[in-house]
Amino acid sequence: MKKTILAMILSVLMVGSIFAQQKVLTKDERMAWWREARFGMFIHWGVYSLPAGTWDGRQIGGIGEWIMNRAKIPVADYQNMAKQFNPVKYDPDAWVKMAKDAGMKYIVITSKHHDGFALFETKASKWNVVDATVYGKDLLKPLAEACKKYGIKLGFYYSQAQDWNNPGGAASRKITKEGWANPDSVTIDAYTKEHKGHWDPRQEKRTFDQYIDEVAVPQVRELLTNYGDLAVLWWDTPTNMTVEAAKKLQSLLALQPAIITNDRLKRPDFPGDHKTPEQRIPNLADLDSTDWETCMTMNGTWGYKSYDHNYKSPETLIRNLLDIASKGGNFLLNVGPTSEGEFPPESVDILSKIGQWMKVNGEAVYGTTSSPWGLFSWGRCTNKATPKGTSLYFSVFEWPADGKLVIPGVKNSVVSAKLLATGAKVKATLAKDGNLTITLPSAAPDPLASVIRVDVKGKVANQPVQPAK
Ligand code: H79
C-alpha cells in the first residue's frame, strides 16, 4: 500500500516536471508559422537519381523514384547499383539558399522513400547512405545546419509503410504494366499479386510488424532526435498500415512538441494536421476548414529523370501559388536533384524566376488568408488584416482589355491602391452599388501576374456570391 502511494506521488511529480519543461502547444500555435509561410520546397533525393529513369538500357515509365518497383529490379541488383551513389557536388548551403531566394519558407526532404534507402546514419538498417554507398556520409546533418543558418524550417518525408529493400516493408499492390522493363510482365503480374506487391523473396524475410518495430520506429526516433528542431514529419502511402503500427509511430512525435504532420500515416483515424492533395489544386467547393498543402512536381517526376524536360513555366507555377493562397492552402513545390547532388538547371532557372517575382509581390502570399470573393475569371485575390484595416491583393492573370477591373460587393472605404510591380498608384473608385472600379494602365506591368494592392478600412466580409470559374 505504502509502495503504491509512493509510486503515485512519484509519477505525479514526474509528469509535473515534464509539463514544467515543455508547454503543450495548441494546434493553432504549432500551425502559425506554416499558415504564414504558404510556400515550401519538397526535395526527392535518393539512389533512384542514379539510374535516373533508365534501367537495362530501357526508359522506365512513370515517376522516377518508383523505378525499382516499376522495373521490378531485384533487391541485390538495386543495392549493387546504389554503391556508386556519390554526390560529390552536394552543396546543402546552396540548396537552402536557392529555396530561400525563391521565397520558400520551409523544406521537406525524403529521408527515406519507398525504396527504403536512408539518406541518414541509422543503426536500424545497413541500407543507408553511410553503410551502402561510396559517399559514406550522412546527407541530412549538413542540410539541417544550412537550414538553421538561413532560417528555413526543415521537415522530413518518411515512407513509413512502403519499403522495398528492408525486409517486411510493404509494396504497393497496384499493378500497371505500362513502362515495365521486363517483357515477361505476365509472370511478374501473377507473382506480385500472390506476394502482396513484392517481386523478390528477399522482401519477405520479415513480417510487416517486425519491419515496423525493427526499422520504421527506430529510424523515426533517430530522425526526431538527431537533427535538432524538426518542423514537419511528412508520412506517405499507408499501404498495409495497422492502427497499432500507426500508434507506435505517432507517439514518437512527442519528441518534437512543435512538429506538424500530414494525413498519410494511416487513414482514416490519423488525420494529422493537414491534408495533402498531390499534383492537384482542390476546387473551392471541396474545401472545408482543414489546413491543406498541395505538393507538385515542376516536371513530370519527383525523383530525378535525366530525360524529363517537361517543365511547367514560372508563370504557371506562380499562378498556382496564387490560386492555392487564394483558397487558403500551402504550396510544396518539388525539386529532384541529380545523383551528383545538383538541382537540374531547369529547376534552378524556375526557382530564380519565382524568386524575382516573390521579392516584389511576396506580400500577396505570406500571411494572407483566402479570398473573400472566391475566384475571379481574370485572376485571384488574397487578403491580410492590417492594424488599421485590410490589405486586399488582386493578382491579375488576364489583363482587362478596357483597362478596368470591377470588383463587386465592396462595403469598405478605400484608403489607397497601387501596383506592386511598379509602385504606381492606381485609381480605385467605389460606386454606391458596391462596385469597386480599378483603372489600370494599358499593359500588364508583370506578364507572370500583376498584383494590385488595395488597402481598405475595416474587415472584409466573405461575399455570398462567388463571381467566376
Ligand atoms: O513521393 C511522391 C510519390 O512517389 C509518392 N507521393 C509523392 C509525394 C507516391 N506514392 N504513391 N503515389 C504517389 C501514388 C501511386 C501511384 C501509383 Fe504508380 C500508380 C503506383 C503504381 C501505379 C505511379 C505510376 C507510380 C508508379 C506508376
Side-chain angles (χ1 to χ4, degrees), residues 51-103:
T54 304
W55 192 258
D56 264 350
R58 227 181 257 264
Q59 293 193 347
I60 309 301
I63 40 187
E65 69 282 5
W66 272 72
I67 191 166
M68 184 184 178
N69 186 312
R70 296 279 279 176
K72 304 300 170 208
I73 301 171
V75 168
D77 294 356
Y78 194 80
Q79 295 194 5
N80 200 39
M81 170 277 292
K83 287 180 192 158
Q84 304 309 315
F85 184 68
N86 195 18
V88 288
K89 294 184 182 162
Y90 178 43
D91 183 351
D93 198 274
W95 283 17
V96 176
K97 194 163 182 311
M98 278 190 273
K100 188 172 177 114
D101 289 346

Side-chain angles (χ1 to χ4, degrees), residues 29-37 105-106 153 231-232 260:
E29 284 170 336
R30 283 187 298 110
M31 296 300 284
W33 73 264
W34 192 93
R35 290 171 181 155
E36 173 106 22
K105 303 289 189 187
Y106 61 111
K153 301 261 188 190
V232 172
I260 290 167

